[in-house]
Amino acid sequence: MSLTDDVLRRIARVARARHLGFVELVGLAELDPATAFRGAVLRGDLSGQDLGGFDFTGATFAHCDLTGADMTRTDGVTPEMLANAVTDAATCLPRAFFWDGGRAPSWAEDWGHDEYGPWVTLRVPGTDVTQRMRWCPPGTFMMGSPDDEPGRNDREGPRHQVMFAQGFWMFDTACTEQLWTAVMGAAPAGISYGGRFPVTQVDWHEAEDFVRRLNTKLPGLSIGLPSEACWEYACRAGTETPYSFGAQVTRQLVCFDSRSPVVAASLPANPWGLYEMLGNVWEWCEDPWHRSYDGAPADGSAWLKAGAANRVIRGGSWGNDARYVRSAYRLNYDPAIRSVDLGFRCARVQTASGAERVAAPADPARRTGAERVRPQGTPGAATARSGVATGGGTTPDWATASGEDAFGRFADITVPGTDVTQRLRWISPGRFRMGSPATEPGRFKDEGPLHDVTLDRGFWLFDTPCTQALWEAVMGNNPSRFRSPTRPVECVSFGDAAAFIDALNGRIPGLGLSLPSEAQWEYACRAGTTTATYAGALVIVDRYNAPVLDAIAWYGGNSGEGFDLKNGSDSSAWPDKQYGLTTAGTWPVGLKRPNRWGLHDTLGNVLEWCLDHWRATYDGAPADGSAWLKAGKAAANRVIRGGSWDDDAQRVRAAYRDRNGPADRGDYLGFRCARVQSDSEAGRQAGRSKPGGRSERAATISLSRRALRWLTRQ
């Protein structure tokens, strides 16, 4: 590579870069990943990188660290090339490596690996309806419940060992109404909740008919209802506790003791990526009913002989209490029964001589990111985070810890002189459509026009709203109405939030926090999705009842269910609530399912202040994601986003926006902080030393030299 002015300019850009990964450095150097690395020799750290679009034909990976890298859509890689590279169970290998022999079965639409392990998608011919299946690896487990398990009955014993010599595929959700209609050619009979809800009121014979029709449409698919042993093995996913989530269960993890089911895949998945195995709807199994496990097969096959006419159902439903939604609980129904809480999911069991098998699937039990739902900002959290791998990155000056997990890069800050911490998530540069389409249910006119925004600079963002513990550690007081350390601070004005940020920046040199722009906030909230919520489309059943929100947000429909403070707001007059609550308020942060970038409570709990002045439409809005400010208008209304604990479902969407005067304080107003670094700031801070470690300049030069080896193919 000759040192032309253009090359020197690109090298200078890379030399100024701080804490960037390989992919970001390639973009900064303006290299084409589809051509620039053919025949290259690659050394150093590519861990955790998404290498989609790169072509490494003829390249050499010389002891390159590819742990956690995503090479699913990478071209030109062969097994021989990876012989000297470092990989682990989280490394997603190229698509060509996925199937034994490199040839996919005809029924497979798409496939890959993620933090849960291998997955494959099928498509119903002639439609755009797909269903994902998850790989359940070969293994052994103890079926049934131990004698001392709370809620146990004799039908769950004797506990016995079952061995699966072959792995199998399992639908990652119960069959949905959408999938049922695509296969059967008609909508399901009886009650309908909506396309992404599980189909119900299907008897065992009808489920078998669905299986036959789908197998006919996709030759070679060969799915069926799971055996009872397959079902429990997949549900447990390597766990032995009463629930795959542990010894206790909450409505944030399982849909039980409720008035209706939730949208499929709207609650957290088990360790193998299977959604709502417990609760939501009962699921038919292949086996006839047997009163106990005496004489049950030890190989995981369906127990088809000497049974009663009834068929096994497993998992419990939305209307049952906690004892019925345990991994071991079993019941039976007449195969002609149709019930509003009874559905099914399908499995594809591999035979020993099967034509296609997954090649060396990753062990999902070894995936990273186990701490994903722990609340942030509480005393002692720094200790809880100790030992997290850093993923090869350099900890910024302002951070006390950093690393990578299933959601991406993170960094923790600790308030000096305290043990109160806050996690920030790295939000990579990108482009998105801001606002809502005219067809989105609940849309307001101020959410348009829909427009493209390109953020060419990544930023850090609090993974939760600012907590009361963090506020008190910085400000020495607590303005909140609903007081507890792990709840979001509220009753704070725009000016109060600005004062907090100034105070925290003053205590941690180089931190440089601010409020996010409205565009940054929506980009982070969506996390790459385009639907009304990051969990999917918003189906508004009633004003305060949108089932998809229950798993991800505290809003007017669920914020009073089990509310534990004495000063809750009277919500008895709120109409059509998802739960029959009477008092409501905020909840501790981090209890609800985060978005795919690891951000909690972007929807619901508290509305969040943004930097921007309010405007009634997006006409003329910046296209670069910067804050849209009015000169000389300090007292003008400011934007607030995300909806709150007392809002109806319409207002808890990614595109929803509102405004308040900058001096307003309400028990629904909070904030989270962002950190956007400029080139000039990077230059000013480059020489600052980290306490007890090498200088920031040394770390930057080391990173840049490694990058230049990559970029110049040395």
Side-chain angles (χ1 to χ4, degrees), residues 105-122:
S106 60
W107 52 265
E109 169 83 5
D110 197 8
W111 55 87
H113 292 79
D114 60 17
E115 69 268 29
Y116 297 109
W119 57 266
V120 63
T121 300
L122 60 88

Side-chain angles (χ1 to χ4, degrees), residues 500-689:
F500 168 90
I501 289 170
D502 287 345
L504 184 54
N505 285 338
R507 296 181 68 172
I508 303 178
L511 182 56
L513 294 178
S514 68
L515 290 174
S517 72
E518 183 178 12
Q520 289 168 343
W521 187 97
E522 184 173 329
Y523 176 66
C525 175
R526 289 188 178 281
T529 63
T530 58
T531 48
T533 80
Y534 61 79
L538 187 72
V539 178
I540 301 176
V541 178
D542 287 307
R543 181 177 173 184
Y544 286 90
N545 186 359
V548 72
L549 294 177
D550 200 22
I552 62 171
W554 297 109
Y555 76 114
N558 65 4
S559 61
E561 181 70 0
F563 188 72
D564 60 343
L565 298 182
K566 295 180 180 179
N567 65 333
S569 182
D570 182 4
S571 57
S572 57
W574 297 357
D576 307 318
K577 297 184 292 290
Q578 187 170 359
Y579 296 101
L581 49 93
T582 58
T583 59
T586 63
W587 281 77
V589 301
L591 295 181
K592 293 293 188 179
R593 172 183 162 192
N595 70 13
R596 65 177 62 177
W597 292 348
L599 302 173
H600 295 268
D601 300 307
T602 52
L603 296 178
N605 222 1
V606 289
L607 281 151
E608 300 180 10
W609 289 108
C610 295
L611 273 177
D612 307 58
H613 291 113
W614 172 258
R615 288 170 171 85
T617 74
Y618 287 131
D619 287 319
D624 61 358
S626 59
W628 198 6
L629 302 176
K630 297 179 180 179
K633 296 289 186 179
N637 286 344
R638 297 281 181 159
V639 172
I640 50 177
R641 296 296 299 259
S644 75
W645 61 272
D646 62 349
D647 274 324
D648 57 24
Q650 183 181 11
R651 289 170 169 79
V652 190
R653 294 175 295 113
Y656 174 72
R657 55 197 299 263
D658 206 343
R659 74 280 193 188
N660 267 101
D664 290 347
R665 297 181 176 92
D667 54 18
Y668 53 88
L669 286 172
F671 67 97
R672 75 178 71 213
C673 300
R675 183 182 192 277
V676 184
Q677 188 179 47
S678 65
D679 286 338
S680 60
E681 179 192 1
R684 288 195 305 271
Q685 294 187 22
R688 184 176 295 138
S689 297

Side-chain angles (χ1 to χ4, degrees), residues 77-80 82 93-100 102 111 113 358-360:
V77 179
T78 66
E80 293 74 22
L82 299 181
L93 299 176
R95 286 168 60 85
F97 291 22
F98 192 85
W99 304 99
D100 276 346
W111 55 87
H113 292 79
V358 176

Side-chain angles (χ1 to χ4, degrees), residues 407-418:
F407 297 107
R409 295 173 62 193
F410 66 82
D412 296 341
I413 57 173
T414 302
V415 179
T418 77

Side-chain angles (χ1 to χ4, degrees), residues 8-17 20 25 27-30:
L8 289 171
R9 176 180 58 80
R10 288 153 58 194
I11 290 174
R13 272 189 181 178
V14 173
R16 288 198 303 269
L20 296 185
L25 288 167
L28 200 63
E30 300 177 16

